[in-house]
Amino acid sequence: MLNPLLILIRRDLRLAVRQGMDSMMALVFFVLAVVLFPFGVGPEANVLARIAAGVIWVAALLASMLALERLFQADYEDGSLELLVLAPVPMEVVVAAKIAAHWLTTGLPLMAAAPLLAVLLGMEAGGFAGLLAALALGTPSLSLIGAVGAALILGSRRGGVLLSLLILPLYIPVLIFGVAAVDAAAGGYALQPHLLVLTGLLLAALALAPWAAAAALRQAVE
Amino acid sequence: MTDFVGRQLVCVRGGRVVFADLGFRVEAGGALVLAGPNGSGKSSLLRLMAGLAHPAGGVLAWGGEDVAGDPATHRARVHYVGHLDAVKPDLTVAENLVFWAALRGGSDGAGARTRTALEAFGIPHLADVPGRYLSAGQRRRLNLARILAAPAPLWLLDEPKTALDTDAAGRVDAAVASHRAEGGMVVMSMHGGSLPEGAVVLDLAAFNAGLEAVGC
């Protein structure tokens, strides 16, 4: 079971590398969206430091959603999805591999860029650990939940809009506890409760999302 | 002896009955050719056989056992070639093929199996060419090479010779013949062309007739 998982992840990563700019788009969008805020809100350092966590998290949600629309779409259009459904590998494993590849190509770069953006917005130094820990636990949940939406929109026109309507409400718990973790860390309060909730959300998504997405994909090819 | 049998199959698409009360039987080493006009359900029947779609009625059985009871085992014995060639434009021909060969047959020896399969379809010289530069016929050859790169007993080919030149069409016939000689089964839809030796022809038009009258 592990071998097919690695084969699938390697293929998706290789595709992401070959497509170059396509896979960098989420990261570029993330940086641009955050950089716009000081222009819009004004250079008041206190205000920016106060909203830094929220801005970074909201931008991360939207950026991670950008790449989701294509998660299964390309395979659906060129017939690969049918063959993946027919492969002697459980569909849940295929979905898990695609989610892992999505996180490695979007979630991980977002995590790497987030501290720089936090510096830009003048976030309290104490908040950095909270931000990284919260993103490390939160972004995989975003990829997992998003995959269910990406599987459901296959075959529909204007899938991108539909995807945001389906997925953004489900992202709200991750957003709330992600921002709360950073604020708690910056304010010197206990970080642990928020991280435990984020872990709980991640485990729940891990347990449910691959099965839900696999069921949606089987429907899509029928 | 292993056989693949369909009994009283009913296919419904978009609320319309495509065919009803359809039966067939393929034995090890046998070939079944699906004939019939456009829209008579050749592709739909192949998708039912593959397990991509589910029959509205009737049974598909492999060696006497209903395939719906163990879909995972059935998937492992099926190779399906549909209308779409599943070629990734950003991967080279060899990378495309190695992926499917490794996913179905394991990573061990996937490279060697890939080379043999490319040679069987006359495209070893394209191994390092990205999928985006292939012509329609070359993409089809690559898709057909996929079924040689990992063995499976049942081949389901949906108009495999579309876009192929005479050389490639001959290679398809040769691959089908050697697969059958090893005890494999082939079900293919085709329009005209020469039938594989000893093939049974199933005319789907016979199962469409009279459906309107029954009020389906």
Side-chain angles (χ1 to χ4, degrees), chain B residues 23-61:
Chain B
F24 67 86
R25 178 158 188 267
V26 199
E27 288 177 357
L32 182 69
V33 170
L34 307 181
N38 296 136
S40 58
K42 299 186 292 296
S43 298
S44 299
L45 179 57
L46 283 166
R47 293 176 67 86
L48 288 187
M49 289 178 180
L52 280 170
H54 300 287
V59 179
L60 284 165

PDB file of all heavy atoms in Angstrom, chain B residues 23-61:
ATOM      1  N   GLY B  23     -26.798 -10.472 -23.081  1.00  0.00           N
ATOM      2  CA  GLY B  23     -25.956 -11.510 -22.510  1.00  0.00           C
ATOM      3  C   GLY B  23     -24.750 -11.752 -23.381  1.00  0.00           C
ATOM      4  O   GLY B  23     -24.786 -11.516 -24.587  1.00  0.00           O
ATOM      5  N   PHE B  24     -23.637 -12.194 -22.788  1.00  0.00           N
ATOM      6  CA  PHE B  24     -22.451 -12.546 -23.574  1.00  0.00           C
ATOM      7  C   PHE B  24     -21.622 -13.535 -22.769  1.00  0.00           C
ATOM      8  O   PHE B  24     -21.847 -13.727 -21.562  1.00  0.00           O
ATOM      9  CB  PHE B  24     -21.614 -11.300 -23.887  1.00  0.00           C
ATOM     10  CG  PHE B  24     -20.977 -10.687 -22.672  1.00  0.00           C
ATOM     11  CD1 PHE B  24     -19.744 -11.154 -22.204  1.00  0.00           C
ATOM     12  CD2 PHE B  24     -21.618  -9.674 -21.971  1.00  0.00           C
ATOM     13  CE1 PHE B  24     -19.177 -10.614 -21.067  1.00  0.00           C
ATOM     14  CE2 PHE B  24     -21.040  -9.141 -20.826  1.00  0.00           C
ATOM     15  CZ  PHE B  24     -19.817  -9.605 -20.386  1.00  0.00           C
ATOM     16  N   ARG B  25     -20.680 -14.158 -23.441  1.00  0.00           N
ATOM     17  CA  ARG B  25     -19.772 -15.067 -22.745  1.00  0.00           C
ATOM     18  C   ARG B  25     -18.423 -15.031 -23.452  1.00  0.00           C
ATOM     19  O   ARG B  25     -18.359 -15.139 -24.672  1.00  0.00           O
ATOM     20  CB  ARG B  25     -20.326 -16.488 -22.757  1.00  0.00           C
ATOM     21  CG  ARG B  25     -19.403 -17.494 -22.087  1.00  0.00           C
ATOM     22  CD  ARG B  25     -20.159 -18.736 -21.640  1.00  0.00           C
ATOM     23  NE  ARG B  25     -19.285 -19.589 -20.846  1.00  0.00           N
ATOM     24  CZ  ARG B  25     -18.563 -20.579 -21.363  1.00  0.00           C
ATOM     25  NH1 ARG B  25     -18.624 -20.850 -22.647  1.00  0.00           N
ATOM     26  NH2 ARG B  25     -17.775 -21.302 -20.591  1.00  0.00           N
ATOM     27  N   VAL B  26     -17.350 -14.809 -22.720  1.00  0.00           N
ATOM     28  CA  VAL B  26     -15.994 -14.863 -23.270  1.00  0.00           C
ATOM     29  C   VAL B  26     -15.228 -15.913 -22.484  1.00  0.00           C
ATOM     30  O   VAL B  26     -15.265 -15.919 -21.253  1.00  0.00           O
ATOM     31  CB  VAL B  26     -15.237 -13.518 -23.118  1.00  0.00           C
ATOM     32  CG1 VAL B  26     -14.062 -13.473 -24.075  1.00  0.00           C
ATOM     33  CG2 VAL B  26     -16.149 -12.347 -23.333  1.00  0.00           C
ATOM     34  N   GLU B  27     -14.551 -16.805 -23.215  1.00  0.00           N
ATOM     35  CA  GLU B  27     -13.740 -17.820 -22.543  1.00  0.00           C
ATOM     36  C   GLU B  27     -12.282 -17.398 -22.552  1.00  0.00           C
ATOM     37  O   GLU B  27     -11.899 -16.499 -23.303  1.00  0.00           O
ATOM     38  CB  GLU B  27     -13.882 -19.155 -23.274  1.00  0.00           C
ATOM     39  CG  GLU B  27     -15.229 -19.795 -23.054  1.00  0.00           C
ATOM     40  CD  GLU B  27     -15.371 -21.073 -23.859  1.00  0.00           C
ATOM     41  OE1 GLU B  27     -14.427 -21.395 -24.607  1.00  0.00           O
ATOM     42  OE2 GLU B  27     -16.419 -21.709 -23.743  1.00  0.00           O
ATOM     43  N   ALA B  28     -11.474 -18.057 -21.740  1.00  0.00           N
ATOM     44  CA  ALA B  28     -10.033 -17.802 -21.761  1.00  0.00           C
ATOM     45  C   ALA B  28      -9.533 -18.020 -23.185  1.00  0.00           C
ATOM     46  O   ALA B  28      -9.837 -19.036 -23.809  1.00  0.00           O
ATOM     47  CB  ALA B  28      -9.331 -18.740 -20.795  1.00  0.00           C
ATOM     48  N   GLY B  29      -8.780 -17.044 -23.702  1.00  0.00           N
ATOM     49  CA  GLY B  29      -8.290 -17.128 -25.073  1.00  0.00           C
ATOM     50  C   GLY B  29      -9.288 -16.659 -26.106  1.00  0.00           C
ATOM     51  O   GLY B  29      -9.000 -16.665 -27.301  1.00  0.00           O
ATOM     52  N   GLY B  30     -10.461 -16.241 -25.664  1.00  0.00           N
ATOM     53  CA  GLY B  30     -11.503 -15.829 -26.604  1.00  0.00           C
ATOM     54  C   GLY B  30     -11.500 -14.334 -26.870  1.00  0.00           C
ATOM     55  O   GLY B  30     -10.843 -13.564 -26.175  1.00  0.00           O
ATOM     56  N   ALA B  31     -12.230 -13.962 -27.906  1.00  0.00           N
ATOM     57  CA  ALA B  31     -12.375 -12.547 -28.228  1.00  0.00           C
ATOM     58  C   ALA B  31     -13.830 -12.260 -28.539  1.00  0.00           C
ATOM     59  O   ALA B  31     -14.504 -13.061 -29.181  1.00  0.00           O
ATOM     60  CB  ALA B  31     -11.505 -12.168 -29.414  1.00  0.00           C
ATOM     61  N   LEU B  32     -14.301 -11.124 -28.046  1.00  0.00           N
ATOM     62  CA  LEU B  32     -15.674 -10.703 -28.300  1.00  0.00           C
ATOM     63  C   LEU B  32     -15.606  -9.345 -28.980  1.00  0.00           C
ATOM     64  O   LEU B  32     -14.963  -8.424 -28.475  1.00  0.00           O
ATOM     65  CB  LEU B  32     -16.435 -10.598 -26.978  1.00  0.00           C
ATOM     66  CG  LEU B  32     -17.907 -10.203 -27.044  1.00  0.00           C
ATOM     67  CD1 LEU B  32     -18.733 -11.306 -27.666  1.00  0.00           C
ATOM     68  CD2 LEU B  32     -18.435  -9.895 -25.636  1.00  0.00           C
ATOM     69  N   VAL B  33     -16.233  -9.230 -30.144  1.00  0.00           N
ATOM     70  CA  VAL B  33     -16.234  -7.955 -30.850  1.00  0.00           C
ATOM     71  C   VAL B  33     -17.618  -7.341 -30.736  1.00  0.00           C
ATOM     72  O   VAL B  33     -18.619  -7.979 -31.052  1.00  0.00           O
ATOM     73  CB  VAL B  33     -15.852  -8.155 -32.331  1.00  0.00           C
ATOM     74  CG1 VAL B  33     -16.090  -6.872 -33.114  1.00  0.00           C
ATOM     75  CG2 VAL B  33     -14.401  -8.578 -32.444  1.00  0.00           C
ATOM     76  N   LEU B  34     -17.670  -6.102 -30.240  1.00  0.00           N
ATOM     77  CA  LEU B  34     -18.938  -5.410 -30.098  1.00  0.00           C
ATOM     78  C   LEU B  34     -19.204  -4.614 -31.364  1.00  0.00           C
ATOM     79  O   LEU B  34     -18.370  -3.797 -31.769  1.00  0.00           O
ATOM     80  CB  LEU B  34     -18.913  -4.472 -28.894  1.00  0.00           C
ATOM     81  CG  LEU B  34     -18.497  -5.106 -27.560  1.00  0.00           C
ATOM     82  CD1 LEU B  34     -18.536  -4.075 -26.443  1.00  0.00           C
ATOM     83  CD2 LEU B  34     -19.385  -6.283 -27.216  1.00  0.00           C
ATOM     84  N   ALA B  35     -20.324  -4.863 -31.997  1.00  0.00           N
ATOM     85  CA  ALA B  35     -20.688  -4.124 -33.199  1.00  0.00           C
ATOM     86  C   ALA B  35     -22.014  -3.432 -32.946  1.00  0.00           C
ATOM     87  O   ALA B  35     -22.695  -3.708 -31.957  1.00  0.00           O
ATOM     88  CB  ALA B  35     -20.804  -5.080 -34.377  1.00  0.00           C
ATOM     89  N   GLY B  36     -22.359  -2.541 -33.866  1.00  0.00           N
ATOM     90  CA  GLY B  36     -23.625  -1.826 -33.718  1.00  0.00           C
ATOM     91  C   GLY B  36     -23.443  -0.374 -34.078  1.00  0.00           C
ATOM     92  O   GLY B  36     -22.331   0.134 -34.046  1.00  0.00           O
ATOM     93  N   PRO B  37     -24.540   0.296 -34.420  1.00  0.00           N
ATOM     94  CA  PRO B  37     -24.451   1.702 -34.830  1.00  0.00           C
ATOM     95  C   PRO B  37     -24.061   2.613 -33.666  1.00  0.00           C
ATOM     96  O   PRO B  37     -24.048   2.178 -32.504  1.00  0.00           O
ATOM     97  CB  PRO B  37     -25.875   2.005 -35.305  1.00  0.00           C
ATOM     98  CG  PRO B  37     -26.746   1.012 -34.637  1.00  0.00           C
ATOM     99  CD  PRO B  37     -25.918  -0.221 -34.466  1.00  0.00           C
ATOM    100  N   ASN B  38     -23.742   3.875 -33.977  1.00  0.00           N
ATOM    101  CA  ASN B  38     -23.405   4.845 -32.933  1.00  0.00           C
ATOM    102  C   ASN B  38     -24.543   4.931 -31.927  1.00  0.00           C
ATOM    103  O   ASN B  38     -25.715   4.949 -32.299  1.00  0.00           O
ATOM    104  CB  ASN B  38     -23.195   6.240 -33.531  1.00  0.00           C
ATOM    105  CG  ASN B  38     -22.011   6.282 -34.489  1.00  0.00           C
ATOM    106  OD1 ASN B  38     -22.079   6.857 -35.547  1.00  0.00           O
ATOM    107  ND2 ASN B  38     -20.937   5.626 -34.107  1.00  0.00           N
ATOM    108  N   GLY B  39     -24.211   4.965 -30.656  1.00  0.00           N
ATOM    109  CA  GLY B  39     -25.226   5.120 -29.635  1.00  0.00           C
ATOM    110  C   GLY B  39     -25.907   3.829 -29.245  1.00  0.00           C
ATOM    111  O   GLY B  39     -26.836   3.831 -28.448  1.00  0.00           O
ATOM    112  N   SER B  40     -25.431   2.696 -29.797  1.00  0.00           N
ATOM    113  CA  SER B  40     -26.091   1.442 -29.454  1.00  0.00           C
ATOM    114  C   SER B  40     -25.577   0.899 -28.118  1.00  0.00           C
ATOM    115  O   SER B  40     -26.091  -0.098 -27.625  1.00  0.00           O
ATOM    116  CB  SER B  40     -25.887   0.411 -30.556  1.00  0.00           C
ATOM    117  OG  SER B  40     -24.515   0.201 -30.776  1.00  0.00           O
ATOM    118  N   GLY B  41     -24.570   1.556 -27.528  1.00  0.00           N
ATOM    119  CA  GLY B  41     -24.155   1.176 -26.171  1.00  0.00           C
ATOM    120  C   GLY B  41     -22.876   0.378 -26.100  1.00  0.00           C
ATOM    121  O   GLY B  41     -22.617  -0.278 -25.084  1.00  0.00           O
ATOM    122  N   LYS B  42     -22.025   0.440 -27.147  1.00  0.00           N
ATOM    123  CA  LYS B  42     -20.772  -0.324 -27.117  1.00  0.00           C
ATOM    124  C   LYS B  42     -19.850   0.179 -25.993  1.00  0.00           C
ATOM    125  O   LYS B  42     -19.360  -0.609 -25.191  1.00  0.00           O
ATOM    126  CB  LYS B  42     -20.054  -0.213 -28.473  1.00  0.00           C
ATOM    127  CG  LYS B  42     -20.864  -0.774 -29.629  1.00  0.00           C
ATOM    128  CD  LYS B  42     -20.082  -0.786 -30.923  1.00  0.00           C
ATOM    129  CE  LYS B  42     -19.784   0.600 -31.470  1.00  0.00           C
ATOM    130  NZ  LYS B  42     -20.993   1.359 -31.858  1.00  0.00           N
ATOM    131  N   SER B  43     -19.680   1.507 -25.958  1.00  0.00           N
ATOM    132  CA  SER B  43     -18.828   2.069 -24.913  1.00  0.00           C
ATOM    133  C   SER B  43     -19.431   1.842 -23.534  1.00  0.00           C
ATOM    134  O   SER B  43     -18.719   1.536 -22.573  1.00  0.00           O
ATOM    135  CB  SER B  43     -18.609   3.566 -25.137  1.00  0.00           C
ATOM    136  OG  SER B  43     -17.947   3.774 -26.354  1.00  0.00           O
ATOM    137  N   SER B  44     -20.751   1.988 -23.436  1.00  0.00           N
ATOM    138  CA  SER B  44     -21.414   1.789 -22.143  1.00  0.00           C
ATOM    139  C   SER B  44     -21.208   0.365 -21.646  1.00  0.00           C
ATOM    140  O   SER B  44     -20.953   0.140 -20.464  1.00  0.00           O
ATOM    141  CB  SER B  44     -22.907   2.077 -22.257  1.00  0.00           C
ATOM    142  OG  SER B  44     -23.118   3.406 -22.635  1.00  0.00           O
ATOM    143  N   LEU B  45     -21.300  -0.602 -22.575  1.00  0.00           N
ATOM    144  CA  LEU B  45     -21.118  -1.999 -22.168  1.00  0.00           C
ATOM    145  C   LEU B  45     -19.685  -2.234 -21.688  1.00  0.00           C
ATOM    146  O   LEU B  45     -19.462  -2.910 -20.678  1.00  0.00           O
ATOM    147  CB  LEU B  45     -21.454  -2.934 -23.337  1.00  0.00           C
ATOM    148  CG  LEU B  45     -21.288  -4.423 -23.074  1.00  0.00           C
ATOM    149  CD1 LEU B  45     -22.123  -4.864 -21.882  1.00  0.00           C
ATOM    150  CD2 LEU B  45     -21.673  -5.252 -24.297  1.00  0.00           C
ATOM    151  N   LEU B  46     -18.712  -1.631 -22.390  1.00  0.00           N
ATOM    152  CA  LEU B  46     -17.321  -1.791 -21.965  1.00  0.00           C
ATOM    153  C   LEU B  46     -17.092  -1.176 -20.583  1.00  0.00           C
ATOM    154  O   LEU B  46     -16.355  -1.720 -19.759  1.00  0.00           O
ATOM    155  CB  LEU B  46     -16.385  -1.155 -22.998  1.00  0.00           C
ATOM    156  CG  LEU B  46     -16.189  -1.989 -24.263  1.00  0.00           C
ATOM    157  CD1 LEU B  46     -15.554  -1.158 -25.363  1.00  0.00           C
ATOM    158  CD2 LEU B  46     -15.325  -3.211 -23.973  1.00  0.00           C
ATOM    159  N   ARG B  47     -17.745  -0.041 -20.330  1.00  0.00           N
ATOM    160  CA  ARG B  47     -17.595   0.591 -19.012  1.00  0.00           C
ATOM    161  C   ARG B  47     -18.258  -0.246 -17.918  1.00  0.00           C
ATOM    162  O   ARG B  47     -17.763  -0.300 -16.791  1.00  0.00           O
ATOM    163  CB  ARG B  47     -18.175   2.008 -19.037  1.00  0.00           C
ATOM    164  CG  ARG B  47     -17.375   2.954 -19.932  1.00  0.00           C
ATOM    165  CD  ARG B  47     -18.021   4.313 -20.013  1.00  0.00           C
ATOM    166  NE  ARG B  47     -17.970   5.003 -18.737  1.00  0.00           N
ATOM    167  CZ  ARG B  47     -16.952   5.737 -18.326  1.00  0.00           C
ATOM    168  NH1 ARG B  47     -15.907   5.900 -19.096  1.00  0.00           N
ATOM    169  NH2 ARG B  47     -16.979   6.327 -17.151  1.00  0.00           N
ATOM    170  N   LEU B  48     -19.367  -0.906 -18.260  1.00  0.00           N
ATOM    171  CA  LEU B  48     -19.988  -1.829 -17.292  1.00  0.00           C
ATOM    172  C   LEU B  48     -19.033  -2.973 -16.983  1.00  0.00           C
ATOM    173  O   LEU B  48     -18.835  -3.357 -15.827  1.00  0.00           O
ATOM    174  CB  LEU B  48     -21.284  -2.411 -17.854  1.00  0.00           C
ATOM    175  CG  LEU B  48     -22.518  -1.535 -17.986  1.00  0.00           C
ATOM    176  CD1 LEU B  48     -23.702  -2.387 -18.412  1.00  0.00           C
ATOM    177  CD2 LEU B  48     -22.822  -0.833 -16.687  1.00  0.00           C
ATOM    178  N   MET B  49     -18.426  -3.518 -18.067  1.00  0.00           N
ATOM    179  CA  MET B  49     -17.520  -4.652 -17.875  1.00  0.00           C
ATOM    180  C   MET B  49     -16.320  -4.258 -17.023  1.00  0.00           C
ATOM    181  O   MET B  49     -15.817  -5.047 -16.229  1.00  0.00           O
ATOM    182  CB  MET B  49     -17.021  -5.152 -19.230  1.00  0.00           C
ATOM    183  CG  MET B  49     -18.061  -5.851 -20.070  1.00  0.00           C
ATOM    184  SD  MET B  49     -17.293  -6.297 -21.636  1.00  0.00           S
ATOM    185  CE  MET B  49     -18.652  -7.090 -22.469  1.00  0.00           C
ATOM    186  N   ALA B  50     -15.852  -3.012 -17.208  1.00  0.00           N
ATOM    187  CA  ALA B  50     -14.683  -2.557 -16.464  1.00  0.00           C
ATOM    188  C   ALA B  50     -15.017  -2.286 -15.001  1.00  0.00           C
ATOM    189  O   ALA B  50     -14.137  -2.304 -14.144  1.00  0.00           O
ATOM    190  CB  ALA B  50     -14.112  -1.299 -17.103  1.00  0.00           C
ATOM    191  N   GLY B  51     -16.297  -2.022 -14.723  1.00  0.00           N
ATOM    192  CA  GLY B  51     -16.662  -1.661 -13.358  1.00  0.00           C
ATOM    193  C   GLY B  51     -16.671  -0.157 -13.154  1.00  0.00           C
ATOM    194  O   GLY B  51     -16.797   0.316 -12.031  1.00  0.00           O
ATOM    195  N   LEU B  52     -16.514   0.611 -14.250  1.00  0.00           N
ATOM    196  CA  LEU B  52     -16.590   2.074 -14.131  1.00  0.00           C
ATOM    197  C   LEU B  52     -18.027   2.517 -13.928  1.00  0.00           C
ATOM    198  O   LEU B  52     -18.289   3.559 -13.342  1.00  0.00           O
ATOM    199  CB  LEU B  52     -16.036   2.729 -15.393  1.00  0.00           C
ATOM    200  CG  LEU B  52     -14.527   2.834 -15.494  1.00  0.00           C
ATOM    201  CD1 LEU B  52     -14.116   3.281 -16.879  1.00  0.00           C
ATOM    202  CD2 LEU B  52     -13.978   3.792 -14.450  1.00  0.00           C
ATOM    203  N   ALA B  53     -18.960   1.736 -14.468  1.00  0.00           N
ATOM    204  CA  ALA B  53     -20.375   2.028 -14.269  1.00  0.00           C
ATOM    205  C   ALA B  53     -21.033   0.745 -13.764  1.00  0.00           C
ATOM    206  O   ALA B  53     -20.449  -0.336 -13.859  1.00  0.00           O
ATOM    207  CB  ALA B  53     -21.009   2.482 -15.574  1.00  0.00           C
ATOM    208  N   HIS B  54     -22.229   0.887 -13.209  1.00  0.00           N
ATOM    209  CA  HIS B  54     -22.909  -0.290 -12.673  1.00  0.00           C
ATOM    210  C   HIS B  54     -24.172  -0.573 -13.477  1.00  0.00           C
ATOM    211  O   HIS B  54     -24.909   0.349 -13.807  1.00  0.00           O
ATOM    212  CB  HIS B  54     -23.225  -0.077 -11.198  1.00  0.00           C
ATOM    213  CG  HIS B  54     -21.993   0.160 -10.390  1.00  0.00           C
ATOM    214  ND1 HIS B  54     -21.109  -0.843 -10.089  1.00  0.00           N
ATOM    215  CD2 HIS B  54     -21.467   1.300  -9.890  1.00  0.00           C
ATOM    216  CE1 HIS B  54     -20.097  -0.336  -9.416  1.00  0.00           C
ATOM    217  NE2 HIS B  54     -20.276   0.960  -9.272  1.00  0.00           N
ATOM    218  N   PRO B  55     -24.415  -1.840 -13.786  1.00  0.00           N
ATOM    219  CA  PRO B  55     -25.600  -2.160 -14.574  1.00  0.00           C
ATOM    220  C   PRO B  55     -26.876  -1.892 -13.777  1.00  0.00           C
ATOM    221  O   PRO B  55     -26.909  -2.092 -12.559  1.00  0.00           O
ATOM    222  CB  PRO B  55     -25.440  -3.656 -14.874  1.00  0.00           C
ATOM    223  CG  PRO B  55     -24.499  -4.178 -13.843  1.00  0.00           C
ATOM    224  CD  PRO B  55     -23.619  -3.035 -13.453  1.00  0.00           C
ATOM    225  N   ALA B  56     -27.909  -1.423 -14.483  1.00  0.00           N
ATOM    226  CA  ALA B  56     -29.189  -1.188 -13.822  1.00  0.00           C
ATOM    227  C   ALA B  56     -29.880  -2.513 -13.519  1.00  0.00           C
ATOM    228  O   ALA B  56     -30.779  -2.592 -12.698  1.00  0.00           O
ATOM    229  CB  ALA B  56     -30.076  -0.300 -14.697  1.00  0.00           C
ATOM    230  N   GLY B  57     -29.446  -3.569 -14.210  1.00  0.00           N
ATOM    231  CA  GLY B  57     -29.989  -4.893 -13.945  1.00  0.00           C
ATOM    232  C   GLY B  57     -29.053  -5.927 -14.529  1.00  0.00           C
ATOM    233  O   GLY B  57     -28.224  -5.609 -15.379  1.00  0.00           O
ATOM    234  N   GLY B  58     -29.153  -7.156 -14.080  1.00  0.00           N
ATOM    235  CA  GLY B  58     -28.323  -8.214 -14.631  1.00  0.00           C
ATOM    236  C   GLY B  58     -27.048  -8.430 -13.839  1.00  0.00           C
ATOM    237  O   GLY B  58     -26.763  -7.730 -12.877  1.00  0.00           O
ATOM    238  N   VAL B  59     -26.287  -9.417 -14.278  1.00  0.00           N
ATOM    239  CA  VAL B  59     -25.116  -9.863 -13.511  1.00  0.00           C
ATOM    240  C   VAL B  59     -23.911  -9.992 -14.436  1.00  0.00           C
ATOM    241  O   VAL B  59     -24.030 -10.444 -15.574  1.00  0.00           O
ATOM    242  CB  VAL B  59     -25.399 -11.242 -12.868  1.00  0.00           C
ATOM    243  CG1 VAL B  59     -24.175 -11.731 -12.100  1.00  0.00           C
ATOM    244  CG2 VAL B  59     -26.603 -11.179 -11.958  1.00  0.00           C
ATOM    245  N   LEU B  60     -22.749  -9.571 -13.945  1.00  0.00           N
ATOM    246  CA  LEU B  60     -21.473  -9.855 -14.605  1.00  0.00           C
ATOM    247  C   LEU B  60     -20.735 -10.853 -13.722  1.00  0.00           C
ATOM    248  O   LEU B  60     -20.601 -10.620 -12.520  1.00  0.00           O
ATOM    249  CB  LEU B  60     -20.644  -8.587 -14.735  1.00  0.00           C
ATOM    250  CG  LEU B  60     -21.047  -7.580 -15.810  1.00  0.00           C
ATOM    251  CD1 LEU B  60     -20.359  -6.253 -15.560  1.00  0.00           C
ATOM    252  CD2 LEU B  60     -20.673  -8.099 -17.185  1.00  0.00           C
ATOM    253  N   ALA B  61     -20.286 -11.943 -14.310  1.00  0.00           N
ATOM    254  CA  ALA B  61     -19.640 -12.957 -13.480  1.00  0.00           C
ATOM    255  C   ALA B  61     -18.312 -13.376 -14.090  1.00  0.00           C
ATOM    256  O   ALA B  61     -18.184 -13.512 -15.312  1.00  0.00           O
ATOM    257  CB  ALA B  61     -20.551 -14.169 -13.329  1.00  0.00           C
TER     258      ALA B  61
END
